[in-house]
Amino acid sequence: MSDELNICDVDPEVIEKAGKLRFRKEKTLAAIIMKIDADKQLVILDEELEDISVEDLTEELPDHLPRYVLYSYVLKHDDGRVSYPLVFIFISPQGTKPELQMMYAGSKTNLVKKLGATKVFELRSKEEMSEEWLIQKLKFFR
């Protein structure tokens, strides 16, 4: 028996878009937002965003529905270096229907593995997400 819980499969388009985001040449912020199609039990692309700040990205997210975000961030280090970490953020707001929360939580590990994400963070509301929060989280990886 497998130790991993996998509720939903991942749409091949999501994997393709994540690969393009990982290897993009642009030096700007970009994100893909993913959601679950409950009827198909499939993680699908919800939105693709170019040149988007953390604050603008937060505005794109629904208030009371979970979402997965893969975000290509531009991190300016104190010593002048610049890096482009690819960050996976799972937002699961309080007040979401328990069945939906379980579907998202149960599919997260498989999605993270398929996307090859290594910087994985979780939030209970989109209001917690800010540039300061993200920079603080990324300090762990320096």
Side-chain angles (χ1 to χ4, degrees):
M1 190 166 143
S2 174
D3 291 344
E4 293 181 27
L5 179 64
N6 181 30
I7 309 280
C8 297
D9 286 324
V10 181
D11 187 328
E13 180 189 22
V14 167
I15 296 168
E16 176 192 330
K17 296 285 185 185
K20 287 181 179 176
L21 188 62
R22 177 183 303 279
F23 297 113
R24 66 198 282 274
K25 302 286 185 226
E26 293 84 1
K27 305 275 188 233
T28 57
L29 307 163
I32 56 173
I33 301 173
M34 297 154 280
K35 65 181 180 180
I36 289 180
D37 180 328
D39 295 331
K40 295 181 183 174
Q41 291 197 322
L42 190 66
V43 178
I44 61 171
L45 186 67
D46 185 28
E47 216 173 336
E48 212 174 345
L49 304 161
E50 285 288 333
D51 201 17
I52 185 157
S53 69
V54 176
E55 284 70 23
D56 289 343
L57 176 59
T58 302
E59 292 302 313
E60 293 293 323
L61 299 168
D63 291 325
H64 301 291
L65 292 170
R67 287 295 183 265
Y68 304 116
V69 178
L70 194 61
Y71 191 43
S72 179
Y73 184 66
V74 179
L75 181 62
K76 295 175 177 91
H77 298 269
D78 296 335
D79 62 6
R81 291 178 301 120
V82 178
S83 62
Y84 303 90
L86 192 62
V87 179
F88 181 93
I89 304 167
F90 171 41
I91 300 159
S92 181
Q94 295 178 2
T96 302
K97 290 181 185 174
E99 310 83 47
L100 194 57
Q101 255 180 338
M102 286 175 54
M103 193 175 276
Y104 273 84
S107 301
K108 183 191 94 171
T109 302
N110 181 51
L111 178 59
V112 165
K113 189 162 52 171
K114 288 197 175 198
L115 299 180
T118 56
K119 295 166 181 68
V120 179
F121 309 118
E122 288 190 29
L123 294 171
R124 295 298 288 167
S125 77
K126 74 178 198 174
E127 285 73 30
E128 294 176 55
M129 194 164 118
S130 69
E131 190 150 19
E132 295 77 30
W133 169 84
L134 185 56
I135 290 169
Q136 195 62 39
K137 289 292 188 181
L138 288 170
K139 282 183 180 178
F140 175 80
F141 293 95
R142 290 186 184 173

